[in-house]
Amino acid sequence: MSDAKKIAVIAGDGIGPEVIAEAEKVLKRTEELFGYKFELEYGLFGGIAIDERGTPLPEDTLAICQKADAVLLGAVGGPKWDTNPKELRPETGLLGIRKALGLYANIRPAVIFDCLKEASTLKPEVLEGTDLIVVRELTGGIYFGDKLRREGPNGQEAVDTCTYSVKEVERIARSAFEIAKTRKKKVASVDKANVLETSRLWRETVIRVAADYPDVELEHVLVDNCAMQLLRRPSSFDVIVTENMFGDILSDEAAMLTGSIGMLSSASLGEGSFGLYEPIHGSAPDIAGKGVANPIATILSVALMFRLTFGYHEAAEAVEKAVKEVLDAGHRTWDIATDKSAAIGTGAMGDLIVAAIKA
Ligand code: NAD
């Protein structure tokens, strides 16, 4: 029996509460099977917090997250708040929470489930065996450039600046090597070192960090080449580490390999083992309240939390296996079903996965 782990649970808007309910069932089942203890504390966040508290990120929600060992987030946003001023938009809360919690590494696994290969736009034989993770630097680079401006007569020129420090590159490189150590022991560091000075600093720093991980193989891939190789040989990648903007683009490309947004989990990590875990999809207002959302992305986010924050590798594997078993048995929510008339609902999918988890 281990100490109780504190999890801040933030359901958010739209399908957020529906998929989080299924993730909670998984937490409860793993407590029973593995003897863990989870203490859940709930916070308001996003559109619902704007409605009830006049801000997307109330102080008490942030305090709950700061006290927790990990945060489990559903999704936020919706048309109701789309025309609000910036400070009253759910997405502003999202940026705020990441910043306040010091989350600088975004981790997105892209795993192909054999039985869903047909759902991808790529040929099944190209996808065979694909199981990769994109580790994206989240708080530096051109998205946080401090010298962005318009110049010249009538603002005919625009400037954005891209800055990286050795410290920023070192910590994200370490995150990538630590993750690779627990996997196939391969890191592909993606940059544009043939053109950009920040990329040359990136490459030098990654090479230095790699010296501490002699068991992990390192390759350098230029970003344009990586975009091609992800489509040509996705299964040859294990961990891809890259800077903010390249990671933004490549992680969406990698996500599309798998064919469904309802299947993909993510983690945002800072110093130590603390992390925020969420599905990569949004609040899906078009299907909210209908009980048809796919809960697998959120359930796999729990598995990621087990692995990356708590070191509960056995439980992480048990949850991932349960998902695979249920899919192999042919059960599908609407988004991944070929025969839509046989699709099952959110709760039924959650129940089947929970029943398939084995110690
Ligand atoms: P979305 O991911 O919510 O939906 C895109 C499409 O995928 C929709 O057709 C939706 O029905 C479907 N979909 C998404 N998740 C699904 C699931 N689990 N099961 C089945 N189908 C699913 O993206 P969007 O429509 O561009 O955005 C909707 C709202 O969500 C916006 O307000 C946006 O700002 C917000 N958003 C929030 C986050 C977040 O909370 N991290 C991320 C992306 C978008």
Side-chain angles (χ1 to χ4, degrees):
M1 179 84 175
S2 49
D3 291 338
K5 302 290 187 194
K6 286 195 179 63
I7 304 175
V9 179
I10 298 176
D13 308 312
I15 61 168
E18 299 169 43
V19 292
I20 287 287
E22 303 313 309
E24 281 190 52
K25 290 182 190 168
V26 167
L27 287 171
K28 191 157 177 295
R29 184 67 183 136
T30 50
E31 279 187 314
E32 292 161 4
L33 286 175
F34 295 91
Y36 306 144
K37 183 90 196 82
F38 301 118
E39 273 174 24
L40 309 188
E41 224 180 319
Y42 299 84
L44 280 183
F45 183 58
I48 189 173
I50 296 170
D51 288 352
E52 295 191 15
R53 308 285 283 284
T55 170
L57 177 54
E59 290 282 322
D60 56 338
T61 299
L62 187 57
I64 289 170
C65 296
Q66 282 164 332
K67 273 192 333 216
D69 298 303
V71 180
L72 182 63
L73 178 66
V76 295
K80 184 175 176 193
W81 306 280
D82 274 354
T83 51
N84 279 6
K86 192 169 165 230
E87 66 283 5
L88 287 182
R89 295 190 56 151
E91 298 77 10
T92 305
L94 219 41
L95 292 180
I97 201 168
R98 287 176 185 150
K99 188 154 183 246
L101 298 175
L103 303 171
Y104 61 80
N106 185 244
I107 317 289
R108 273 203 200 179
V111 183
I112 305 296
F113 289 90
D114 277 350
C115 58
L116 290 181
K117 274 191 299 198
E118 305 302 327
S120 172
T121 50
L122 290 198
K123 292 188 186 123
E125 62 269 27
V126 174
L127 290 168
E128 188 79 48
T130 296
D131 175 2
L132 63 90
I133 290 190
V134 179
V135 177
R136 165 189 169 194
E137 203 289 325
L138 207 54
T139 56
I142 201 158
Y143 292 175
F144 288 85
D146 57 356
K147 298 204 181 72
L148 63 173
R149 60 183 181 268
R150 285 291 174 101
E151 287 187 340
N154 305 319
Q156 293 291 297
E157 286 176 19
V159 180
D160 291 291
T161 53
C162 182
T163 309
Y164 267 109
S165 69
V166 167
K167 181 173 168 264
E168 285 172 314
V169 182
E170 258 174 19
R171 64 185 188 181
I172 191 78
R174 250 175 233 294
S175 302
F177 280 98
E178 287 295 327
I179 291 169
K181 247 172 45 178
T182 67
R183 295 173 44 95
K184 288 177 271 173
K185 300 186 173 50
K186 280 178 10 182
V187 169
S189 170
V190 175
D191 60 37
K192 190 72 183 167
N194 53 343
V195 178
L196 300 174
E197 199 53 40
T198 41
S199 279
R200 285 189 275 272
L201 178 98
W202 178 279
R203 195 176 280 212
E204 286 161 25
T205 309
V206 170
I207 289 171
R208 253 200 327 277
V209 171
D212 293 339
Y213 299 88
D215 295 344
V216 180
E217 180 192 322
L218 169 66
E219 69 167 330
H220 302 280
V221 189
L222 294 174
V223 62
D224 39 347
N225 186 25
C226 185
M228 288 198 292
Q229 299 307 333
L230 269 175
L231 301 183
R232 202 172 70 90
R233 52 166 183 105
S235 64
S236 72
F237 290 105
D238 179 19
V239 175
I240 293 175
V241 62
T242 190
E243 61 98 77
N244 202 344
M245 183 169 67
F246 298 161
D248 191 6
I249 298 163
L250 294 178
S251 62
D252 269 18
E253 187 188 352
M256 276 321 293
L257 297 174
T258 68
S260 174
I261 198 168
M263 303 285 301
L264 296 169
S265 58
S266 81
S268 298
L269 307 175
E271 298 297 345
S273 59
F274 180 84
L276 181 148
Y277 298 84
E278 60 182 323
I280 73 157
H281 62 71
S283 58
D286 53 335
I287 56 166
K290 296 185 178 159
V292 298
N294 185 347
I296 293 179
T298 314
I299 289 171
L300 290 176
S301 299
V302 170
L304 207 53
M305 176 191 293
F306 285 166
R307 184 165 279 129
L308 298 180
T309 287
F310 302 145
Y312 293 166
H313 297 284
E314 204 190 340
E317 218 166 279
V319 172
E320 287 160 358
K321 265 199 190 138
V323 169
K324 186 173 178 306
E325 194 180 308
V326 169
L327 290 172
D328 283 344
H331 303 291
R332 303 280 188 273
T333 42
W334 192 85
D335 57 315
I336 50 173
T338 323
D339 175 7
K340 303 286 183 201
S341 66
I344 59 171
T346 313
M349 179 56 95
D351 288 343
L352 284 166
I353 293 169
V354 165
I357 301 172
K358 294 178 200 76

